[in-house]
Amino acid sequence: MAVIILLTTAILLIYIYFRISYTYWKKLGVPQLNPSFPFGDMAAVIFRRQNMGDKIKEIYDKMKGHKYVGLYFFSRKALLPLDPALIKNILSKDFQHFYDRGIYYDEENDPLSAHLFSIAGPKWKHLRSRLTPAYSPGKLKYMFGTIVECGHQMTDILKELVREDATIEIKEILARYTTDVIGSCAFGLECNCMRNPKAEFRLMGKRAFTQTIGDVLKMIVIRSFPSLAKLLGLGVFSSNVTSFFNQVVRETIEYREKNNVTRKDFLQLLIQLRRDGQIDDEPRNDDKKGPCDKRLTTEEAAAQAFIFFLAGFETTSTTISFALFEMALSDEIQDKARGEVNGVFKKFGGLNYESAMELHYLETIIYETMRKYPPAPVFLRKCTKPYQIPDTDILIEEGLSVLIPCYGLHRDPDYFPDPERFDPDRFNEENRSKIWDYTYMPFGDGPRNCIGMRFAMLQAKIALSLTLKNFKFRLSTKTKLPLKMETKGIILSAIGGLWINFEPIIDAQS
Ligand code: HEM
């Protein structure tokens, strides 16, 4: 009996606490929805009826006209700015107040979680400036040949598969391509996922992006009680994913150092940062001396290679897949893109760094693809210093999360008329400058934007140009239209996959 009374009292107290929490935004004068106990505004996401991107877009559409909206995740509060001017302040102008993402990491027990994406404070600034040269155009040029090799392997396999059956689910093929690219560029390994879909690298990539019920529960503990999560040693990823990547990096570094092997890849640059504290041709800059001015440890190097993989493979393969899907629906766009590829390859003697830089129409296709299907439909900031919303009395307190509604903005007819229409010309030279600031942000914005965007664009251009050169393609009736997005997972992905019929171009010389 005493236990029942105790339990009922505890539930009642929790209920009251949540109900009081749900008045927070209203009291501040910030519009809010109708949060319900105990999930706040996120019941559909928790129960996987809706993915986070769709949910935030739904709220964006519903609350349009307001400059900001207050949200609740369980009892935690988050701000959703809808006004591009306020978003600009948060991401760029007043970045000092929104330095971090507020993503959990545990440097001590789970060093792989302490990568550039999650790391906070001055340590992030230091790491970002250390790593920026590794993503420069010069370093991309250095890796170009490795990416093209993976592109050729992809079109070779496509040709073999098409001989058996012209209808192919492209998302999986492209995930194998981007895994091969990142495997060779970030880990210095030939993973060969193209030929072997069960390669460990591919399986680990799939595992990292699959959320089991156990993962969801673990994330709830991590988000709600980070100190308890640290105490329990809960890792962000499953332990086999973590130990696989740690081991791969450790062994590859040891092998290269022992055998004096160097390769043109990102890992080599990390090895330099580990050994010398800077990349070879990078000028010594005293500004880079910070609270953690030291060489990278092996664990830190492994974490940076890991985020290259994690942030790079699924986002890029999703973009390439949706670009092929849209071109498969429009002969006009596809023919124009193929015409450009053939012309540019002829002018520059095939696919090389110079020709890739000249594929301007293809670039507009990639930009428009990321507008319609931003791989990261929402991204995060954490308030690191109290912030008064300009021209209001509203004070955003330290520690509060801010969600940037990228998907909502990209499909807003006020910024992109007829938003469901796929129109690469929105991004041609003439129209691009007309796009409102902070309404188009597939790679985020401000000092904490995507460091890998040039790499992603190059990888996408290589895959798309080689596919256009070698195949004509049409959408298969196996693709379920209208597209519906998976309700699980972080990255946008179509339910049932994207199926395309390929017809090889006989005289294509890639
Ligand atoms: C189409 C492909 C990609 C898309 C759409 C994408 C998108 C994004 C977005 C939205 C963010 C958050 C930006 C912000 O908060 O302002 C981000 C951050 C990041 N991305 Fe990407 N990304 C892509 C490819 C890549 C690739 C290929 C790499 C690595 C080579 C990469 C590495 C990172 C890293 C390390 C961060 C964290 C940067 C920091 O906090 O300093 N991304 N990306």
Side-chain angles (χ1 to χ4, degrees):
M1 190 64 185
V3 175
I4 294 175
I5 293 173
L6 217 69
L7 218 65
T8 317
T9 316
I11 292 173
L12 200 68
L13 286 176
I14 294 172
Y15 180 79
I16 293 169
Y17 170 73
F18 272 60
R19 278 285 151 218
I20 293 172
S21 302
Y22 293 161
T23 60
Y24 176 84
W25 288 120
K26 217 173 177 176
K27 279 190 201 147
L28 273 187
V30 173
Q32 67 172 54
L33 302 150
N34 289 314
S36 53
F37 175 78
F39 305 110
D41 297 309
M42 293 296 140
V45 177
I46 307 277
F47 289 108
R48 298 174 167 211
R49 292 195 301 271
Q50 225 174 359
N51 65 47
M52 185 61 116
D54 279 337
K55 180 74 206 173
I56 298 299
K57 181 180 178 300
E58 184 190 278
I59 298 174
Y60 178 95
D61 292 342
K62 190 171 169 186
M63 301 301 278
K64 229 191 111 179
H66 294 287
K67 289 191 169 174
Y68 35 78
V69 178
L71 301 179
Y72 301 95
F73 291 67
F74 292 88
S75 64
R76 281 172 58 121
K77 290 128 358 203
L79 184 79
L80 181 71
L82 309 181
D83 172 26
L86 177 58
I87 293 175
K88 179 181 180 175
N89 287 345
I90 291 170
L91 295 180
S92 299
K93 205 170 146 266
D94 300 319
F95 178 70
Q96 288 311 320
H97 294 258
F98 299 97
Y99 217 81
D100 298 334
R101 293 205 170 81
I103 292 178
Y104 171 87
Y105 63 96
D106 180 355
E107 222 168 342
E108 232 168 79
N109 302 309
D110 183 12
L112 220 56
S113 66
H115 45 62
L116 190 66
F117 197 87
S118 58
I119 209 151
K123 209 158 187 188
W124 163 77
K125 194 170 176 212
H126 178 80
L127 196 59
R128 174 98 185 194
S129 76
R130 277 274 166 267
L131 288 171
T132 297
Y135 294 88
S136 68
K139 292 295 179 280
L140 274 189
K141 219 168 167 178
Y142 173 82
M143 296 177 204
F144 185 82
T146 312
I147 311 175
V148 170
E149 237 171 71
C150 298
H152 284 305
Q153 272 171 22
M154 181 196 68
T155 45
D156 288 348
I157 299 278
L158 260 181
K159 281 179 197 160
E160 286 171 26
L161 293 172
V162 165
R163 255 178 251 134
E164 286 163 28
D165 185 350
T167 308
I168 305 225
E169 202 291 298
I170 48 168
K171 181 75 202 298
E172 170 58 25
I173 297 285
L174 289 162
R176 285 197 241 153
Y177 159 71
T178 53
T179 305
D180 274 352
V181 169
I182 294 186
S184 24
C185 289
F187 294 88
L189 297 174
E190 282 180 25
C191 331
N192 213 1
C193 305
M194 226 49 252
R195 293 227 168 260
N196 176 14
K198 293 217 160 61
E200 213 170 355
F201 234 86
R202 175 73 192 117
L203 297 181
M204 290 298 158
K206 265 190 180 162
R207 176 67 190 91
F209 275 92
T210 314
Q211 273 190 328
T212 62
I213 290 287
D215 294 332
V216 173
L217 291 176
K218 194 169 66 174
M219 280 324 285
I220 291 176
V221 176
I222 285 176
R223 278 174 173 266
S224 312
F225 312 103
S227 312
L228 177 67
K230 273 194 182 162
L231 202 72
L232 297 174
L234 291 184
V236 176
F237 295 98
S238 84
S239 56
N240 46 353
V241 171
T242 319
S243 47
F244 171 77
F245 284 105
N246 266 326
Q247 191 188 340
V248 165
V249 172
R250 193 174 288 278
E251 283 175 2
T252 317
I253 292 180
E254 264 170 29
Y255 175 81
R256 287 196 189 179
E257 287 185 342
K258 216 173 184 179
N259 299 287
N260 234 345
V261 172
T262 54
R263 271 192 55 164
K264 293 188 165 187
D265 57 25
F266 183 69
L267 187 72
Q268 198 62 42
L269 304 172
L270 288 175
I271 290 174
Q272 280 178 26
L273 283 174
R274 182 175 163 276
R275 196 186 50 212
D276 311 328
Q278 70 161 30
I279 290 170
D280 52 4
D281 48 357
E282 180 197 1
R284 278 230 176 257
N285 180 352
D286 284 344
D287 285 355
K288 284 175 183 159
K289 283 196 177 134
C292 29
D293 185 31
K294 61 179 174 69
R295 297 176 180 124
L296 290 187
T297 63
T298 305
E299 284 72 24
E300 284 168 337
Q304 308 326 313
F306 183 57
I307 193 58
F308 195 125
F309 175 70
L310 218 59
F313 100 88
E314 185 94 349
T315 43
T316 316
S317 64
T318 301
T319 303
I320 305 169
S321 307
F322 281 121
L324 287 176
F325 163 78
E326 288 289 352
M327 281 196 276
L329 285 170
S330 165
D331 284 347
E332 193 191 332
I333 294 175
Q334 188 182 145
D335 290 346
K336 189 169 169 187
R338 183 172 299 106
E340 180 187 63
V341 168
N342 288 335
V344 168
F345 280 17
K346 198 167 166 201
K347 183 172 163 197
F348 289 91
L351 176 55
N352 46 45
Y353 190 77
E354 286 66 34
S355 58
M357 292 301 115
E358 285 295 308
L359 294 169
H360 300 303
Y361 185 63
L362 192 58
E363 208 168 272
T364 64
I365 290 176
I366 301 169
Y367 285 140
E368 174 67 345
T369 303
M370 291 189 293
R371 179 193 68 78
K372 252 190 110 175
Y373 314 98
V378 183
F379 53 90
L380 283 175
R381 287 294 180 274
K382 177 180 161 187
C383 180
T384 41
K385 196 157 88 173
Y387 181 69
Q388 183 156 3
I389 299 183
D391 307 321
T392 71
D393 298 333
I394 299 164
L395 192 73
I396 302 301
E397 60 183 70
E398 192 178 325
L400 217 114
S401 292
V402 178
L403 279 78
I404 308 295
C406 186
Y407 195 21
L409 289 159
H410 286 196
R411 297 265 187 134
D412 186 331
D414 285 351
Y415 306 130
F416 299 97
D418 196 1
E420 303 304 313
R421 191 162 59 92
F422 185 82
D423 178 9
D425 288 337
R426 295 181 206 265
F427 293 92
N428 67 21
E429 226 181 324
E430 189 193 339
N431 293 332
R432 212 160 155 178
S433 56
K434 296 181 196 153
I435 296 172
W436 284 40
D437 274 0
Y438 294 83
T439 58
Y440 179 71
M441 295 172 285
F443 292 112
D445 216 314
R448 207 148 184 178
N449 70 351
C450 176
I451 200 172
M453 65 185 164
R454 284 199 209 98
F455 187 89
M457 288 299 290
L458 196 62
Q459 209 181 335
K461 275 187 184 172
I462 289 172
L464 290 170
S465 62
L466 290 177
T467 310
L468 283 159
K469 179 87 191 150
N470 286 284
F471 301 94
K472 289 187 173 174
F473 42 94
R474 286 256 165 87
L475 198 67
S476 155
T477 48
K478 273 176 99 172
T479 303
K480 290 186 190 129
L481 291 178
L483 289 186
K484 279 208 179 115
M485 298 301 161
E486 286 286 359
T487 53
K488 315 186 262 288
I490 313 149
I491 309 272
L492 282 190
S493 147
I495 293 179
L498 297 170
W499 294 84
I500 290 188
N501 287 327
F502 286 91
E503 182 195 329
I505 299 173
I506 305 300
D507 59 349
Q509 291 164 356
S510 49

